[in-house]
Amino acid sequence: MPVDLQLPAPAKGKRIVVAMSGGVDSSVVAALVVEAGYETIGVTLQLYDHGAVAASSKTCCAGSDIHDARRVANRLGIAHYVLDYESAFRDSVIDDFADSYARGETPIPCVRCNQTVKFRDLLTVAKDLGADALATGHYVRRVNGDRGAELHRAIDPARDQSYFLFATTSAQLDYLRFPLGGMEKSEVREHARRFDLAVANKPDSQDICFVPTGDYAALVKKLRPETAIPGNIVDLSGQPLGRHEGLVHFTVGQRKGIDIGGQPAPLYVVRLEPESQTLVVGPREALGVASATLSSVNWLGAAVPDPAAPLAAKIRSMAKPASAWFDGKTLRFKTPEFGVSPGQAAVIYDGDRVMGGGWIAATEPAYKAMAA
């Protein structure tokens, strides 16, 4: 069955740039674009000093991945460029990741990477190469609506990446294409085998690419030593309960690592106060959030959000959508949401459509909202 690539037609005379990470998804996209008859150019970004992670199979954009992307491009007979974006990635993603921890937040570097290096810088490269569109291997759908291109969830809920792409602007969406949004992963691997691609059975990347060991604290402590300063652990009233070895080891909602005995109920991280190196803990019910204030909102729906319109919001990539309302700045939940942390993204949906989203700047605890 022909694959609907949603690319500019007719194929003859059209040039498409494909973002090739070296994984099976982007490799299949490149193969499908070539098969459809488009002039295809593969572009791979070197994002960091890959020497330390080249042997890891759980990251993307490492040295072995660049080699795999080149092999696929050679197999397909297309031009392939490797661009050094290490400095831009360090400034836009790695430093932001460390700064977020230093502010007591929970960062999402994959969103920042898509927002900056991949969809800002790479899109510029594609246009400079005279491409009619930039295609990527993301699992998300681009749907032509009455008012232009819309962003929708992928049909495979286990692979959907729409949460990580909420910051995609309308102008970018006009130029981007996501050929895999209507497929399941098994179909993608079938295509890879059909095209005889060397990466057909390559494992998916899992860890944050620049922290292949999973030890985020070690990287943050190296870049921002102040995050490792010990401090007090206090309860909601400010009563000291113990000491911690650095806020870098904690995020909102965490239970593990709070070494305080003799408590009547389990304690969870409720808040981090980096100005005083204080860790605020409390019972699980204290984690309930009634609303969240969002910053740097990117809205893909109508010009102005309708504060009375029932919507759904995800405050973590793996969280179930929660019923909510949004007035353009404040996201109010129908029932208290748990584990909402400043620094994370809140992505707002109307059914399968991504209406927009923003960064969680502040939260209103449910118990305070009820008291008011």
Side-chain angles (χ1 to χ4, degrees):
M1 177 182 292
V3 178
D4 181 9
L5 302 178
Q6 296 192 340
L7 293 174
K12 186 176 181 180
K14 296 293 194 301
R15 175 180 295 172
I16 307 298
V17 164
V18 178
M20 299 181 67
S21 67
V24 63
D25 296 326
S26 60
S27 296
V28 166
V29 168
L32 290 171
V33 174
V34 171
E35 182 181 53
Y38 294 89
E39 179 190 354
T40 309
I41 299 176
V43 175
T44 301
L45 302 181
Q46 179 182 320
L47 300 181
Y48 44 83
D49 181 1
H50 53 72
V53 297
S56 174
S57 63
K58 295 183 179 181
T59 62
C60 68
C61 309
S64 59
D65 295 309
I66 293 173
H67 173 67
D68 286 342
R70 183 177 291 114
R71 283 202 299 167
V72 169
N74 289 338
R75 170 77 177 83
L76 299 174
I78 64 174
H80 178 245
Y81 301 102
V82 178
L83 305 180
D84 183 356
Y85 269 65
E86 183 178 338
S87 178
F89 185 74
R90 182 176 59 249
D91 294 342
S92 300
V93 181
I94 298 179
D95 284 347
D96 179 80
F97 178 80
D99 288 339
S100 186
Y101 266 109
R103 293 191 297 267
E105 300 173 346
T106 304
I108 310 178
C110 293
V111 175
R112 288 295 189 196
C113 185
N114 288 324
Q115 183 182 20
T116 56
V117 178
K118 290 184 178 176
F119 283 0
R120 181 192 66 197
D121 300 340
L122 184 54
L123 190 142
T124 299
V125 169
K127 289 185 175 180
D128 288 343
L129 288 172
D132 295 282
L134 170 64
T136 80
H138 289 98
Y139 285 84
V140 67
R141 289 182 296 141
R142 178 188 181 277
V143 176
N144 290 318
D146 295 336
R147 299 185 179 182
E150 301 173 354
L151 193 62
H152 288 242
R153 299 180 210 250
I155 65 163
D156 185 347
R159 297 290 174 178
D160 175 56
Q161 294 175 297
S162 60
Y163 176 86
F164 298 103
L165 302 183
F166 83 87
T168 305
T169 65
S170 295
Q172 292 170 339
L173 197 55
D174 284 340
Y175 191 69
L176 288 163
R177 298 295 188 276
F178 309 106
L180 305 188
M183 298 186 203
E184 295 185 352
K185 185 71 176 194
S186 59
E187 295 178 71
V188 174
R189 291 205 183 273
E190 287 177 9
H191 280 297
R193 288 187 285 270
R194 178 171 69 86
F195 289 117
D196 193 25
L197 301 181
V199 296
N201 297 315
K202 186 175 180 178
D204 294 331
S205 59
Q206 298 174 0
D207 301 314
I208 292 177
C209 65
F210 55 90
V211 194
T213 64
D215 189 354
Y216 312 140
L219 173 67
V220 176
K221 285 189 288 186
K222 179 180 178 181
L223 297 176
R224 303 292 183 270
E226 66 273 19
T227 62
I229 298 175
N232 288 326
I233 302 175
V234 304
D235 63 16
L236 295 175
S237 66
Q239 181 69 31
L241 299 176
R243 298 279 291 174
H244 66 77
E245 296 301 317
L247 294 180
V248 69
H249 299 289
F250 301 93
T251 58
V252 170
Q254 181 175 326
R255 177 181 172 184
K256 184 179 179 180
I258 305 174
D259 298 323
I260 300 174
Q263 299 298 312
L267 295 175
Y268 297 80
V269 175
V270 176
R271 189 170 65 252
L272 293 85
E273 299 179 350
E275 299 82 2
S276 59
Q277 308 298 333
T278 300
L279 183 70
V280 182
V281 300
R284 185 179 184 278
E285 52 266 29
L287 292 173
V289 166
S291 66
T293 302
L294 306 188
S295 65
S296 301
V297 172
N298 180 54
W299 193 248
L300 295 169
V304 179
D306 180 356
L311 298 167
K314 292 181 67 171
I315 46 83
R316 293 183 306 280
S317 63
M318 300 304 293
K320 292 182 179 180
S323 297
W325 299 268
F326 184 59
D327 63 8
K329 181 179 180 181
T330 302
L331 181 66
R332 301 190 181 281
F333 301 106
K334 184 176 182 180
T335 58
E337 274 293 293
F338 289 79
V340 185
S341 174
Q344 291 186 316
V347 182
I348 302 162
Y349 296 83
D350 183 2
D352 282 338
R353 183 184 177 186
V354 178
M355 302 302 290
W359 298 97
I360 299 172
T363 59
E364 180 187 22
Y367 70 90
K368 287 187 177 181
M370 289 186 287

